[in-house]
Amino acid sequence: MKEAIIHAGPKVEIIDTPTPSPKSGQVVIKVAVSGSNPKDWKVPEWMPDVPPLNQGDDIAGTIHEVGEGVTEFRKGDRVAAFHEMMTPGGSYAEYAVAWAHTTFFLPEKTSFEEGAAIPLAALTAAVGLYASDRLNLPQPWSPATSPIPLVVYGASSAVGSYVLQFAQRSNIHPLVCVAGRAQEHVEKLIDRSKGDTIIDYRKGDEAVVQGIKDALKKEKLEYAFDAVSEKNSYQNIAGALDAQTGKITLVLPPPGGDWTGKFPGVAETVGQSTTNVGSVHKDLKDLGYVYCRYITRGLEEGWFKAQPQEIVPGGLGGVQTALEKLKDGTASAVKYVFRIGETEGAGK
């Protein structure tokens, strides 16, 4: 089969490799569409000692083979899945491997392109919002009964957009959304009647901090989900966050790369955490399992929607172009996805 290996640069190398086989508890998926994420170009640059590998983690396609102990899925099922990061069998290939607990059904009305835009980012949102050692906010099936202000920094990003959708189900309001040129996208995901609002980060750091304070209308801010985690984002949040009871979670480690490190410019008394979605393949397997199935329900019922997609032509041949755009900041409120069947030599 054809598989794309990601090198620093980013530079993409397409190779021929054997079709993978599932371990116990895994499925092999014939990939119709693969999604991309910023980590796909970042990891080869940030971790130069790690041998280059297939960095794709967002899979959409049909079940090809199931491993021992897998009872939920059958050959031919339409699914999406979150591949375990930094392991063989990624989504930049004709066939990919996923654990059954981070695989979920796609309704017939949900396209493979939509499916490929969901797994990693949506599970990141779920972990950051609901894990007991992150923000630990009310679950959607036990929604809040009184106002809970939440700042979502980077609200138009895929992670931010899924944070907003889950937060709506949890009745978390007001949602104070920090975004830039993609505010129209954010507007579709919030409820102005419940105090939700949008702050334009392009007006500068001081305006962002003041905008958050104004949006709170003297309410205490205790929760913030930073889906940017750079360019003064968490320092700006800290300017409005309650220093004694506040909690903030980041999607990137603070400077120095230590996922357990403290955040510069944030009070030591603030609850600080980083949200590494890889935890759904480690200590948060149950959370990953539950939210994967909840996403299927949301897609069926229509309250959960995929981040808008842009199909990059050429299948795996388009991966380098997309990763370059992710690196230079071209992407805005969009997921770059690839139809694997368009790859030159695929299927042979």
Side-chain angles (χ1 to χ4, degrees):
M1 69 171 188
K2 298 295 182 183
E3 181 176 29
I5 304 300
I6 314 303
H7 300 261
K11 185 178 184 333
V12 177
E13 175 190 12
I14 299 176
I15 64 171
D16 290 298
T17 188
T19 300
S21 297
K23 298 177 183 177
S24 177
Q26 291 183 333
V27 296
V28 172
I29 298 167
K30 181 176 173 55
V31 186
V33 181
S34 171
S36 58
N37 292 283
K39 65 147 278 289
D40 301 347
W41 71 262
K42 290 178 178 178
V43 168
E45 294 197 8
W46 291 359
M47 304 172 68
D49 295 336
V50 175
L53 77 161
N54 174 349
Q55 287 287 346
D57 296 315
D58 282 336
I59 310 166
T62 54
I63 296 290
H64 172 70
E65 185 179 358
V66 301
E68 182 182 353
V70 175
T71 59
E72 189 173 359
F73 302 104
R74 296 285 185 271
K75 185 177 176 69
D77 286 343
R78 299 178 77 254
V79 296
F82 173 42
H83 165 261
E84 184 176 2
M85 298 185 295
M86 306 300 292
T87 66
S91 66
Y92 292 151
E94 293 184 71
Y95 295 86
V97 176
W99 292 98
H101 77 277
T102 53
T103 301
F104 56 95
F105 289 106
L106 290 180
E108 288 296 329
K109 65 182 179 180
T110 302
S111 69
F112 288 130
E113 289 78 11
E114 291 171 311
I118 293 171
L120 183 151
L123 288 172
T124 302
V127 170
L129 284 171
Y130 302 121
S132 60
D133 57 349
R134 272 74 167 198
L135 297 185
N136 196 25
L137 285 160
Q139 304 283 350
W141 42 87
S142 184
T145 55
S146 59
I148 301 178
L150 171 67
V151 166
V152 183
Y153 214 110
S156 68
S157 68
V159 172
S161 297
Y162 296 135
V163 167
L164 297 180
Q165 293 183 64
F166 283 137
Q168 291 277 10
R169 295 295 290 182
S170 292
N171 195 33
I172 295 168
H173 298 281
L175 296 171
V176 183
C177 307
V178 182
R181 63 184 186 272
Q183 293 180 38
E184 185 177 345
H185 171 63
V186 177
E187 199 70 55
K188 300 172 185 175
L189 303 174
I190 63 175
D191 186 345
R192 291 277 184 175
S193 72
K194 295 184 177 179
D196 299 350
T197 191
I198 302 172
I199 296 164
D200 192 334
Y201 70 81
R202 295 172 297 180
K203 294 181 179 180
D205 294 342
E206 289 185 11
V208 169
V209 175
Q210 190 59 50
I212 294 173
K213 290 179 177 178
D214 292 345
L216 293 170
K217 295 181 169 56
K218 297 185 179 179
E219 288 282 332
K220 190 192 310 189
L221 177 64
E222 295 184 294
Y223 301 97
F225 195 123
D226 186 351
V228 176
S229 307
E230 56 187 359
K231 300 176 182 175
N232 284 335
S233 57
Y234 48 89
Q235 290 90 340
N236 289 342
I237 292 169
L241 193 64
D242 188 275
Q244 301 304 315
T245 59
K247 292 182 179 180
I248 182 172
T249 194
L250 274 58
V251 296
L252 295 175
D258 181 2
W259 286 90
T260 61
K262 292 296 184 180
F263 310 155
V266 180
E268 293 264 341
T269 47
V270 166
Q272 304 177 27
S273 66
T274 48
T275 291
N276 184 340
V277 69
S279 58
V280 298
H281 289 128
K282 297 180 175 66
D283 58 320
L284 294 179
K285 289 181 180 179
D286 286 354
L287 186 150
Y289 174 88
V290 168
Y291 273 91
C292 279
R293 278 115 198 101
Y294 194 58
I295 288 167
T296 296
R297 170 171 283 188
L299 292 169
E300 289 172 340
E301 296 178 348
W303 57 262
F304 191 86
K305 299 183 186 303
Q307 183 79 338
Q309 312 96 54
E310 180 178 322
I311 300 163
V312 183
L316 296 177
V319 172
Q320 180 161 325
T321 297
L323 297 188
E324 288 171 350
K325 288 183 177 181
L326 287 173
K327 183 176 180 178
D328 67 22
T330 301
S332 177
V334 69
K335 269 283 192 177
Y336 295 125
V337 301
F338 318 94
R339 291 171 172 160
I340 302 303
E342 295 179 358
T343 305
E344 185 177 351
K348 295 181 179 178

